[in-house]
Amino acid sequence: MATRNHDISVSVAPGLRGAFDGRRELALGVPAAAGIGDVVEALLRLYPRTRQLLAGDGGEPGGLYLHVAMDAATARELASGTGGLPGGCRLYVFALSRPPRGGRAVGEG
């Protein structure tokens, strides 16, 4: 039995486009059962420069790290547990700054 695939779209924030070869939109063909983790793995494989944007203990304080967001309809479908990302959905990748060491932002009391 063949694995069913469908396409999803990924919008790339301006500050991350350098890591994605200058692209602002990506189209990925993923298995119908693919979840967010599968998409992140595909992005890391296709665009190796994104690895430096993974959040982790080794990151530089104040450096950027990768986030993936989705619209409410996609989130509801994933939460239903009936399958993976819906075909034709759009994900958004953007970056936020890492918090300073100790986890508290400047100005927090």
Side-chain angles (χ1 to χ4, degrees):
M1 184 173 171
T3 302
R4 201 179 74 191
N5 289 320
H6 55 244
D7 290 332
I8 62 164
S9 299
V10 179
S11 294
V12 180
L16 291 180
R17 291 181 188 157
F20 288 92
D21 298 335
R23 300 184 67 187
R24 63 182 288 192
E25 294 283 330
L26 309 169
L28 294 177
V30 298
I36 294 291
D38 300 305
V39 171
V40 171
E41 285 180 8
L43 293 173
L44 293 172
R45 191 172 48 255
L46 293 168
Y47 301 95
R49 287 183 285 175
T50 59
R51 290 182 188 279
Q52 68 190 358
L53 299 169
L54 291 178
D57 294 337
E60 179 180 321
L64 298 178
Y65 64 103
L66 185 72
H67 282 267
V68 179
M70 67 190 80
D71 61 31
T74 300
R76 278 191 300 275
E77 188 152 338
L78 275 176
S80 74
T82 59
L85 292 165
C89 75
R90 179 173 299 277
L91 301 177
Y92 305 87
V93 292
F94 59 98
L96 294 176
S97 296
R98 296 176 193 274
R101 296 218 190 273
R104 294 176 58 131
V106 175
E108 285 186 356

